[in-house]
Amino acid sequence: MDESRQSSWTGAGAALRKAAPPPALCGFLLLLALIFTVSYVVGAGAGPVAPGMHGSGTSRDGGGGGGGVDDMGDMQGGHG
């Protein structure tokens, strides 16, 4: 009687192990999350990409100095 219970238990354990992702995949995803977290922290500490760059929530009445389309001057942007 103990043998039938033990064999059904090992069958359930094997099915559970098959359903779980491999440990290498879990390690890779953990490393990927760690790299993105460190990258975000370093980028936030470095500040904006360009000096004078402001968020899109600035006013357009001259007080914000945002980098909108009007600030491009004579640049053609690749059009003829």
Side-chain angles (χ1 to χ4, degrees):
M1 197 190 293
D2 290 332
E3 291 177 15
S4 64
R5 289 183 182 173
Q6 187 178 13
S7 65
S8 67
W9 176 253
T10 56
L16 183 61
R17 272 182 263 138
K18 280 187 176 182
L25 178 63
C26 293
F28 174 73
L29 293 176
L30 184 66
L31 182 64
L32 192 65
L34 180 68
I35 288 173
F36 277 118
T37 303
V38 169
S39 174
Y40 178 80
V41 168
V42 169
V49 175
M53 186 172 161
H54 299 286
S56 61
T58 59
S59 64
R60 297 195 58 101
D61 57 16
V69 178
D70 298 330
D71 294 339
M72 292 181 67
D74 292 330
M75 290 178 53
Q76 295 293 326
H79 296 289

